[in-house]
Amino acid sequence: QELLLVTLGSFVAHWLFFWISSITAPWYTSAYARLSKDKRANWDSRVVSCIHAIYVSYGYFIVLVFDEEMKQNPINGYTADGLFYMAITLGYLMYDLNLILWKKGSIYDPATIIHHVGGIASFLLVLFAQKAIIYGVFVGFTEFTTPFINLRWFLAESGHRNSSIYMINGLFIWLSFLTVRVCWNAYMCLHIFLHWDEFSLFSFGYWYKYVGCFFISVAICLNSYWFYLITKGMVKVLFGGKSKNK
């Protein structure tokens, strides 16, 4: 019941942040006023996305580093903090999916919808079973990359595509995706493999691990696809200009 309240509170709070952003954005940047109505909604959604990502990625990091029970008993271990942050993320995903389907326009992206639906189902599964919580924490920590992605969009829409900070941020996007999404997902798969037999120690563990692996596989495919696009874009920026000059 407490986790349900946290999820609902998160859903409402993120909508509130979206509304606050639409009011305050013109105060701190002139770029917002030049945007179309569709892109203003995109701007506000990315502000909310950054707030969520910074808050929960820090929380997930604390759980991964300092929660001893999770380290000693990753499958059956219990962490109230981990469940709390997952409920926050679940509320955010529900808000953002609702926003995408409502606003559509430049916010609409089929891959993001698949990501959100899979994320909602995965977090509901973990929150309901309260087993293998560490994998929900693993997945949630990948939000660490989100602020860099959103900053790229903010800089582009503010007319700073040719700035050094835009280039540096692009490098951080590539590095963070490589480490926190691609390599991190590979480590998560190895972790599941090493603890595969432990899933059978609790009720409905047999199907739980296969359903969980399905959702993780979807996340890995999406992250690999996005990493491919990021790498392709970076190569084009680094070497495309040289080719044209020649």
Side-chain angles (χ1 to χ4, degrees), residues 65-85:
V65 174
F66 297 106
D67 196 308
E68 293 299 325
E69 185 175 355
M70 284 291 94
K71 296 177 183 178
Q72 297 173 8
N73 191 3
I75 304 302
N76 293 290
Y78 179 84
T79 167
D81 289 341
L83 290 171
F84 171 79
Y85 288 112

Side-chain angles (χ1 to χ4, degrees), residues 42-43 46-47 50 149-159:
N42 202 333
W43 181 292
R46 288 177 184 273
V47 169
C50 285
I149 298 169
N150 289 331
L151 179 58
R152 177 184 180 275
W153 191 88
F154 291 138
L155 290 170
E157 294 301 323
S158 300

Side-chain angles (χ1 to χ4, degrees), residues 162-216:
N162 297 321
S163 65
S164 58
I165 190 173
Y166 184 86
M167 299 292 290
I168 294 171
N169 182 68
L171 179 60
F172 273 111
I173 290 175
W174 187 83
L175 287 173
S176 64
F177 244 82
L178 176 63
T179 55
V180 179
R181 293 200 181 235
V182 178
C183 295
W184 186 250
N185 282 333
Y187 170 73
M188 182 166 56
C189 290
L190 176 62
H191 195 280
I192 292 173
F193 175 77
L194 294 175
H195 296 276
W196 187 255
D197 293 335
E198 295 178 39
F199 283 92
S200 60
L201 298 179
F202 59 88
S203 59
F204 58 84
Y206 181 80
W207 66 265
Y208 184 96
K209 60 185 178 183
Y210 290 107
V211 173
C213 284
F214 170 75
F215 288 126
I216 290 173

Side-chain angles (χ1 to χ4, degrees), residues 127-149:
L127 290 172
F128 171 74
Q130 295 192 8
K131 298 290 185 179
I133 300 171
I134 193 170
Y135 298 116
V137 176
F138 277 164
V139 172
F141 182 64
T142 60
E143 283 296 302
F144 175 82
T145 64
T146 301
F148 300 112
I149 298 169

Side-chain angles (χ1 to χ4, degrees), residues 49-61:
S49 174
C50 285
I51 293 172
H52 164 262
I54 292 171
Y55 179 70
V56 298
S57 59
Y58 171 77
Y60 289 129
F61 176 77

